[in-house]
Amino acid sequence: MKRQAESYFGVLLPASARTIVCLALFFPAWSGAARPALAEDAPAAASSKDAHSNADRDRLPPPAITEQTVDLGGRVLKFKAGIGAMPIRDESSGELLAEVVTTAFILTARDDKPETSACRPVVFAFNGGPGAGSAWLDLGALGPWRLPLTGAAQAPSAPPVVSDNRESWLDFADLVFIDPPGAGFSRLAGNEAARKKLWSVEGDVELLASVVRRWLQQARKLDCPKFLVGESYGGFRAPKVARALQESENIGVDGLILLSPALDFGWMDGRNNPLADAARLPSLAASHRDAKDRSEVADAESYASGDYLADLLRGPRDAAAQERIAGKVAGLTGLAPERVRRLQGRIGAGDWVFEADPSGRAIASLYDGATMEANATPGRRPQEWSDPVLDGLRAPLATAMTALAIEKLKWPVEARYEILNDRVSESWNWGSRRRSLEAMTDLRRAQALDPRLKILVAQGLYDLVAPYYANKLLLDLAPPVGAPDRIGFLALPGGHMFYAVDSSRAALRDAARKMISNE
């Protein structure tokens, strides 16, 4: 499958997507809904029974709750794990539109001492895509168990064996992983109209905000600290979900943690925008140098936002500017000067995929520019290719999550786990043009409305899909709202899923602990 840089970022849906979510979790029974329609997951009304019976009959299994333990390097945590489906029904017709699966981990004891906090912080985490399952964050970084994601693990046949995750956030927060319809085990059950509602930018945001609020009501945790974690397109979703919670669901969140976020699509899709080239250049240099710290590419950042941008704006007709660019960019990236000249100094992510290895025997990953795999057509640019990181990890992650749900969490699901659902990403309704979408406005408005709201942005140095320097520039260009330390920024070794690197996962955990625990 040909992998495009734009394939896996999520989007939001239209305001017409008014739905009612009936929760079926492992917490005490929910007593009611803020909206009318359905207060419990009852069969459809008799008048519409024939139209809805098939969707209602083909349901996911009832929720499962298990008692679990995890060892964080000599410290044992006991917790309840719950996995189940939330039925999503149209509030006027009662039609089942979808089932949204949540996986929750709730701490009960530490080293055999009961957990005494009546109101632990709650982290709601979702991935992007659209169509990416939450296993990336669950088994990759935050959850109680972890699957290795680097080296030999990046192969479809790699054994999907999970182990206790010493960097799990369960140590300082309860965790709820959400899979929108079409991702993970969550599924669409309705007709074409339901698909258009739920696979769109605004409808997606509305749905996620509703799920978060209803989960909090169900668990009696409305007064507990609340945090949203979004990765990739999920990082685009999170500021919009925070605003929807504030303004539509009457819920405030304490913090947003955005991992490799798509804050402004124009800075990633900017084929005619030299700022996009300047923002990508430090990630190309970091990939070439295998940089272990942002300080190692300080020269690339300085050049990208200074002389490089100035010479790009002089245009290809300025021969002297083109020569300066060719020499400097070649030195930063390791690309041949003549190749830089042919590209007029503008090195796209796709160019790097095929040019990083001058022999043509290997291709690089869009999601981690420092990672390469053998080229199936040595010496030639293939018409189609599989990304070494994104596609290599599909099978191990999906298999591990399926085994975890069935064997450890005792949820007898038969559905396939969608780790990256191409049908969702290809069918997504972006509203107008995707290139015009951004989340910085939502981020600023959410911040302005709530002076307590904290934000952490964390990224990988080798990420060519959502370059770290692009988001750093966007954050620096935004007008200050409140204290300067309200927004934290980390650029760590690794690619789009930078938490696959042990040191980066630990650094992310430490930064999240500091924010969530208010240290």
Side-chain angles (χ1 to χ4, degrees):
M1 173 181 302
K2 187 174 182 179
R3 186 62 50 221
Q4 300 292 342
E6 64 184 35
S7 294
Y8 286 103
F9 283 115
V11 162
L12 307 172
L13 318 177
S16 61
R18 297 288 175 182
T19 58
I20 178 73
V21 180
C22 301
L23 299 191
L25 279 178
F26 58 100
F27 295 104
W30 181 40
S31 58
R35 293 176 181 170
L38 305 177
E40 61 183 9
D41 185 26
S47 61
S48 57
K49 182 177 180 181
D50 291 341
H52 304 157
S53 59
N54 288 339
D56 277 311
R57 186 164 51 241
D58 185 23
R59 297 287 293 276
L60 290 170
I65 313 165
T66 55
E67 301 280 350
Q68 304 286 345
T69 62
V70 64
D71 188 336
L72 305 187
R75 297 174 49 248
V76 177
L77 303 184
K78 292 184 177 181
F79 59 98
K80 285 186 177 180
I83 182 170
M86 300 179 179
I88 313 294
R89 294 187 181 277
D90 185 274
E91 63 181 355
S92 57
S93 69
E95 178 187 5
L96 181 68
L97 302 179
E99 290 183 281
V100 172
V101 175
T102 63
T103 307
F105 305 112
I106 311 299
L107 187 71
T108 57
R110 300 172 188 265
D111 297 326
D112 291 329
K113 296 180 181 178
E115 173 60 31
T116 58
S117 174
C119 206
R120 297 187 85 223
V122 184
V123 166
F124 294 91
F126 37 82
N127 273 81
S134 63
W136 293 95
L137 288 175
D138 189 348
L139 295 181
L142 281 63
W145 301 287
R146 185 176 67 83
L147 181 73
L149 301 180
T150 57
Q154 290 177 355
S157 62
V161 179
V162 301
S163 59
D164 290 355
N165 181 14
R166 294 190 178 191
E167 289 79 41
S168 175
W169 295 15
L170 184 59
D171 197 23
F172 48 87
D174 291 336
L175 306 174
V176 182
F177 296 92
I178 304 173
D179 283 311
F185 293 118
S186 298
R187 67 183 192 101
L188 281 175
N191 53 28
E192 179 66 10
R195 183 192 65 77
K196 290 182 179 179
K197 286 181 180 181
L198 300 177
W199 288 359
S200 69
V201 175
E202 293 175 3
D204 175 69
V205 167
E206 181 182 343
L207 172 66
L208 286 171
S210 181
V211 168
V212 168
R213 184 204 25 107
R214 293 182 173 100
W215 191 97
L216 290 166
Q217 284 182 291
Q218 170 81 7
R220 306 294 188 263
K221 285 181 171 285
L222 282 167
D223 55 344
C224 299
K226 296 165 282 289
F227 297 84
L228 303 181
V229 176
E231 179 183 10
S232 193
Y233 179 74
F236 170 84
R237 281 172 165 146
K240 295 179 180 293
V241 173
R243 277 194 60 203
L245 284 167
Q246 288 175 338
E247 300 174 12
S248 299
E249 302 290 352
N250 303 317
I251 299 287
V253 298
D254 295 74
L256 301 176
I257 300 176
L258 313 179
L259 311 181
S260 309
L263 293 179
D264 190 326
F265 283 97
W267 280 58
M268 295 181 298
D269 293 349
R271 299 165 195 170
N272 300 310
N273 179 6
L275 285 173
D277 299 295
R280 188 184 307 111
L281 187 58
S283 290
L284 297 175
S287 298
H288 170 57
R289 298 173 179 177
D290 198 20
K292 302 306 180 187
D293 188 85
R294 186 180 165 198
S295 63
E296 296 179 29
V297 288
D299 58 335
E301 292 184 8
S302 178
Y303 173 65
S305 54
D307 292 345
Y308 176 63
L309 190 56
D311 278 343
L312 280 182
L313 293 174
R314 289 185 170 91
R317 293 179 180 83
D318 190 322
Q322 288 294 297
E323 279 304 304
R324 288 193 295 269
I325 290 174
K328 187 67 174 179
V329 170
L332 290 171
T333 64
L335 298 176
E338 57 270 22
R339 182 54 179 154
V340 177
R341 288 190 194 94
R342 287 201 300 272
L343 293 171
Q344 298 178 350
R346 305 180 66 177
I347 315 301
D351 298 316
W352 180 260
V353 167
F354 302 110
E355 300 290 340
D357 177 16
S359 73
R361 289 191 294 268
I363 59 174
S365 170
L366 289 168
Y367 293 81
D368 185 335
T371 296
M372 298 190 184
E373 73 170 10
N375 185 352
T377 57
R380 291 184 294 165
R381 178 176 290 207
Q383 294 298 310
E384 296 183 353
W385 77 96
S386 297
D387 188 90
V389 173
L390 194 75
D391 293 308
L393 288 169
R394 281 182 184 236
L397 269 170
T399 302
M401 195 66 201
T402 302
L404 181 71
I406 296 173
E407 298 169 15
K408 190 176 284 288
L409 303 186
K410 307 303 181 184
W411 196 50
V413 64
E414 296 182 1
R416 179 179 63 206
Y417 187 88
E418 296 287 359
I419 189 67
L420 292 170
N421 191 334
D422 299 301
R423 192 163 64 95
V424 177
S425 62
E426 292 165 1
S427 303
W428 200 258
N429 177 6
W430 297 91
S432 54
R433 296 176 60 188
R434 199 190 83 150
R435 204 174 300 175
S436 66
L437 295 173
E438 52 86 22
M440 284 299 299
T441 299
D442 302 278
L443 197 67
R444 292 197 297 269
R445 287 184 61 177
Q447 259 197 311
L449 187 62
D450 189 345
R452 297 182 66 256
L453 179 67
K454 295 176 287 187
I455 296 164
L456 172 64
V457 177
Q459 303 210 227
L461 290 168
Y462 321 142
D463 186 1
L464 305 184
V465 176
Y468 80 90
Y469 199 50
N471 284 334
K472 184 65 173 69
L473 291 174
L474 281 169
L475 294 172
D476 289 345
L477 289 170
V481 180
D485 61 354
R486 288 182 69 190
I487 299 183
F489 183 84
L490 291 174
L492 301 165
H496 200 61
M497 289 70 76
F498 62 90
Y499 46 76
V501 178
D502 291 346
S503 61
S504 297
R505 186 173 61 258
L508 173 64
R509 184 270 322 273
D510 292 344
R513 183 203 298 273
K514 184 176 180 181
M515 172 192 279
I516 293 172
S517 302
N518 203 24
E519 295 177 355

